[in-house]
Amino acid sequence: MLESSLTERQLITQFLDALRELPEVHADLDHLEPIGSTADRRHDAQIDLQVAGKSFILLVEAKKAVYPRDVRQMIWQLREASYGRLRGHGKEPLSLLVAESISPGAKELLRDEHVGYYDSAGSMYLPAPGAYFYIDKPPPKTLAKSVRSLFSGRRAQVLHAVLAQHQDWFGVKELAQRAMVSPATASQVLTELERFDWLVSRGQGPSKERHLREPAALLDAWVKQLASIRPANLRRYYVPGTKADQLLERVGEVFDAHEAGYAISHEAAAQRYSPFLSGVSQVRARLLSGSNADAAMGELGARVVDEGANLAIIEAKSPGDLLFRERVGGIWLASPVQVYLDLLRGEGRSKEMAEHLRKERIGF
């Protein structure tokens, strides 16, 4: 049940209005279960539905938010209600879930099981015998905002850590240390990932461990959020006196000499991980801001330019921005996952390079 009867009534009323706008559909609310009524209660509302002259009974379960983890138990409960309580009433019973928000993965599971749903954004799936309605709309703002926040800031560091050790089992404290976040933040992110059914767990209490069983699904979800996440600031420079094929080594040598924290990303990093292009004309790097970075840029003789840049710097505000970098050929490269996400924001053949990197180096 929802936390308040007002929210429940609003959702069911909105669903009724949406049904009545469909062609050859008549829908009437038979009854709405009162809050606190638990005796033989197996659904929240019952709707009499007529579609093109055929009569059905909709048994509605109302929820606040629904994720894949919730769906399997809900399906069993809805079917028990439809096949048990209304058997012999002469009308076809149909189960349907109404919720303020239903995640895309949960919707897919419900469709696979032919269980209807409706959310506050107006998405609807109603598989009635002899009648089929499917309306797909963008998720409600509440769900979109919640998902978007998962892929930014310190929460993104946790996701990065989970993907970096996707083959391992891990505890909250261990994960928090690897991600450079508090145990509370790590725990919150893991709870969200469990809702999407991307994790499996074992043990209980402080010894509980998780394992990422769906790394590809998590990475795909991150990709979908890129357009809504503000990119980091990028400053363009020209480093004189260095040929394009020697610039990467020169940058790495100078940054190391000044102990400036950095990680090469984009095409230059992808080329090191898994060659794809004949050559790379620009080096892009995350650089931890501070006096060491300033001294290194000064030794390079880098000057700010609007055009003709051969070095681009992405400001790293904390060591968490350099998580899981790898030393390859004497150069610090951003993690393959970070390079992949950066390439997808790029231009030219960067997206092709991203898919090549994912296939050859990331592997999921």
Side-chain angles (χ1 to χ4, degrees):
M1 291 286 289
L2 295 173
E3 295 180 359
S4 69
S5 59
L6 177 62
T7 304
E8 179 186 87
R9 291 176 184 275
Q10 287 176 332
L11 276 171
I12 293 174
T13 298
Q14 184 178 331
F15 173 54
L16 274 169
D17 291 340
L19 283 176
R20 290 163 178 164
E21 291 177 359
L22 297 173
E24 296 189 70
V25 171
H26 298 278
D28 295 296
L29 182 63
D30 183 283
H31 71 269
L32 184 69
E33 293 288 341
I35 296 298
S37 174
T38 58
D40 199 30
R41 180 200 162 278
R42 296 184 182 178
H43 56 270
D44 294 312
Q46 182 173 311
I47 294 174
D48 288 332
L49 179 69
Q50 288 191 356
V51 181
K54 291 186 176 182
S55 296
F56 305 94
I57 294 278
L58 280 185
L59 300 179
V60 179
E61 180 77 12
K63 296 289 182 181
K64 184 73 174 176
V66 178
Y67 294 88
R69 184 188 64 178
D70 313 312
V71 166
R72 291 180 179 88
Q73 183 177 1
M74 287 182 185
I75 289 173
W76 180 83
Q77 291 174 338
L78 289 166
R79 284 179 171 165
E80 184 186 32
S82 62
Y83 293 115
R85 186 167 180 175
L86 288 175
R87 187 175 296 164
H89 280 234
K91 295 182 180 179
E92 185 78 23
L94 301 175
S95 301
L96 188 130
L97 177 66
V98 171
E100 184 174 334
S101 64
I102 307 174
S103 76
K107 289 179 179 178
E108 183 177 353
L109 287 173
L110 289 165
R111 290 195 300 271
D112 288 344
E113 296 295 330
H114 304 288
V115 175
Y117 62 76
Y118 176 82
D119 71 16
S120 61
S123 291
M124 182 193 299
Y125 172 65
L126 182 57
Y132 182 91
F133 298 101
Y134 178 45
I135 302 170
D136 192 30
K137 294 189 176 183
K141 291 182 180 180
T142 52
L143 177 63
K145 183 178 180 180
S146 174
V147 173
R148 186 166 59 248
S149 68
L150 187 61
F151 294 91
S152 58
R154 293 194 178 277
R155 289 187 165 200
Q157 291 177 203
V158 180
L159 298 183
H160 200 170
V162 169
L163 287 169
Q165 59 180 120
H166 70 276
Q167 295 177 326
D168 304 329
W169 288 87
F170 48 83
V172 170
K173 290 184 178 179
E174 174 194 352
L175 180 64
Q177 290 174 350
R178 287 177 60 89
M180 298 183 180
V181 301
S182 69
T185 298
S187 180
Q188 289 168 2
V189 173
L190 291 177
T191 297
E192 291 297 314
L193 295 182
E194 286 178 331
R195 287 178 176 175
F196 286 104
D197 210 21
W198 293 334
L199 295 180
V200 290
S201 61
R202 66 185 182 189
Q204 297 292 331
S207 63
K208 184 176 181 178
E209 292 183 312
R210 274 94 161 184
H211 170 69
L212 180 64
R213 70 176 178 187
E214 297 287 351
L218 174 54
L219 187 54
D220 289 342
W222 201 336
V223 170
K224 290 178 181 179
Q225 292 300 316
L226 286 178
S228 64
I229 301 172
R230 183 178 179 180
N233 293 330
L234 185 73
R235 298 195 304 274
R236 292 176 171 82
Y237 296 87
Y238 177 73
V239 177
T242 306
K243 295 181 180 179
D245 59 352
Q246 299 173 343
L247 182 59
L248 180 58
E249 278 70 21
R250 173 64 175 158
V251 167
E253 176 186 323
V254 172
F255 284 173
D256 282 338
H258 287 275
E259 298 182 349
Y262 77 97
I264 305 298
S265 190
H266 290 263
E267 288 86 352
Q271 192 74 354
R272 278 294 173 102
Y273 278 130
S274 183
F276 180 75
L277 302 175
S278 58
V280 175
S281 60
Q282 185 183 92
V283 172
R284 296 192 182 193
R286 280 179 167 74
L287 181 62
L288 196 60
S289 57
S291 58
N292 291 6
D294 295 339
M297 294 298 286
E299 182 176 334
L300 285 171
R303 63 173 185 267
V304 178
V305 295
D306 293 325
E307 296 180 352
N310 59 2
L311 174 64
I313 296 298
I314 304 166
E315 182 182 4
K317 297 181 180 180
S318 75
D321 293 333
L322 306 179
L323 277 174
F324 311 111
R325 63 181 184 164
E326 298 184 18
R327 190 81 168 173
V328 180
I331 304 293
W332 281 113
L333 306 182
S335 76
V337 167
Q338 184 64 69
V339 175
Y340 171 71
L341 295 171
D342 286 342
L343 284 171
L344 290 176
R345 290 182 179 273
E347 55 283 327
R349 300 188 66 189
S350 64
K351 291 181 175 61
E352 291 178 63
M353 201 171 192
E355 294 311 317
H356 176 77
L357 177 68
R358 182 168 181 176
K359 178 181 177 181
E360 299 296 328
R361 185 63 173 75
I362 297 175
F364 56 79

